[in-house]
Amino acid sequence: MRAMKNIVILISGRGSNMQAIVRAAKAEGWPCRIAAVISNRADAEGLAFAAQQGIATEVVVSKDFPSREAFDARLQATIDRFAPDLVVLAGFMRILTPGFVEHYAGRMLNIHPSLLPSFPGLATHRQALAAGVKVHGVTVHFVTAELDHGPIIAQATVPVLSGDTEDTLADRVLVEEHVLYPKAVRWYVEGRLSIDNGVVHIADAAQPA
């Protein structure tokens, strides 16, 4: 039997990807425990969902700290109380300091609404439309100190349609996010991910996830 893994999920808003992960973990019987959902905003809507699921919630308000380093230190201490095997960023709108990222090296995942390395940063759908690309999508990757970089675990694509707006494109990408992120987290929980020279390998990827 696999050892149960503790997962801590960080959110800043409604946490729709967090909700997708929580539901998938329960429905599919992953060998893990969602130990906590932590937000940097007290009004984050996702906290209520987590509490309803019986998941511990914590708030570390970023604006209460004089520097990114001070905030990250408190956040790290809060996360580590839950002894996480994996930290999942699910719409966590903070740029993390290198020391924080290093502390969770190899055990922190992020999802980004573009096909990285294209369109890092904010306003990804606007960037995609301005560039005139015909295919857009979403990427799940390990977190490194460089923003929206790090070894890519999985990607999913959506077509860019004539007449698309940022909102219509974002809606289609979000559907794929809710499928892809739980799949990638499950792969991690099941010990199927490895990194070799910056490239992620997925063991038994041909089998149903």
Side-chain angles (χ1 to χ4, degrees), residues 114 119 123-137 160 169:
S114 79
F119 315 131
T124 59
H125 311 304
R126 186 185 312 163
Q127 291 184 62
L129 291 172
V133 298
K134 306 307 179 188
V135 178
H136 189 41
V160 179
L169 188 54

Side-chain angles (χ1 to χ4, degrees), residues 62-76:
S62 47
K63 66 181 182 181
D64 288 349
F65 294 84
S67 67
R68 286 200 296 139
E69 290 77 11
F71 169 74
D72 281 6
R74 177 66 61 83
L75 178 63
Q76 180 178 312

Side-chain angles (χ1 to χ4, degrees), residues 164-176:
D164 257 335
T165 65
E166 288 182 60
D167 289 340
T168 60
L169 188 54
D171 287 344
R172 286 205 309 285
V173 169
L174 190 62
V175 171
E176 298 300 325

Side-chain angles (χ1 to χ4, degrees), residues 25-72:
K26 182 177 181 179
E28 298 169 10
W30 300 356
C32 74
R33 170 176 170 263
I34 310 298
V37 171
I38 301 173
S39 179
N40 65 312
R41 296 175 57 95
D43 60 352
E45 296 173 31
L47 293 171
F49 170 85
Q52 289 165 5
Q53 301 298 310
I55 300 169
T57 61
E58 296 277 352
V59 176
V60 183
V61 180
S62 47
K63 66 181 182 181
D64 288 349
F65 294 84
S67 67
R68 286 200 296 139
E69 290 77 11
F71 169 74
D72 281 6

Side-chain angles (χ1 to χ4, degrees), residues 106 108-120 137-144 146-157 180-181 183-185 187-188 192-203 205:
M108 183 159 60
L109 306 185
N110 184 46
I111 191 164
H112 183 75
S114 79
L115 296 174
L116 293 174
S118 297
F119 315 131
V138 59
T139 302
V140 178
H141 64 98
F142 283 98
V143 177
T144 61
E146 188 174 0
L147 181 66
D148 296 331
H149 284 68
I152 291 171
I153 298 167
Q155 294 180 308
T157 62
L180 191 68
Y181 212 1
K183 184 182 296 185
V185 173
W187 287 339
Y188 185 97
R192 293 168 59 181
L193 301 181
S194 60
I195 305 173
D196 182 22
N197 291 324
V199 176
V200 177
H201 299 278
I202 306 167

